[in-house]
Amino acid sequence: MSVGDRLRGLVPERFEALVSGVRFGQFLSVGIVGAISDNAVLAVLGLAFGVPDLWAKAAGVETAIVVMFLVNEHWTFSGDGEAGLRPFLERLGKSHLVRTGGVTVQLVVYWLLTQQLTVELVVAGRDLWFIAASPIAIAAAMSVNYVFESLFTWQVHQDE
């Protein structure tokens, strides 16, 4: 019996879409695109423009949210949700609202890693720990985002 089959047995039938290996794989792939976007903005703002870590991280998070929403909209959840501009904008708004839990988890973990721990990762004379801490924070927030996006933004548990 596969892990997916065991999980399906634990999850009520109405929520089986949450344990779809294909959908989770797509969501994870999109998350990697978002993480790259997040970290690129963080690095550019932090290294090139001297923006403080937490502000640069917040800008990276917002960039990632928009990028991931667009990819999820057109790939991961392309068959879910109503067509049209208004439903699209409603999903975008819901996505931001729903992701507040994941964003909160991510920013708290990032803050703990960068502001409360004394860790240095010096490369070429620059401390890059603020960049290395970001993927750890992203990973902590991913499962929160997956569940809440699936249930509330695209409502994968709703009957056709």
Side-chain angles (χ1 to χ4, degrees), residues 65-87:
I65 287 172
V66 172
V67 167
M68 290 185 300
F69 172 81
L70 292 171
V71 177
N72 277 324
E73 174 77 7
H74 297 289
W75 184 44
T76 312
F77 301 99
S78 63
D80 298 298
E82 290 181 47
L85 181 60
R86 183 177 175 156

Side-chain angles (χ1 to χ4, degrees), residues 48-68:
F49 295 102
V51 174
D53 296 355
L54 289 174
W55 288 107
K57 180 63 178 166
V61 167
E62 178 58 24
T63 300
I65 287 172
V66 172
V67 167
M68 290 185 300

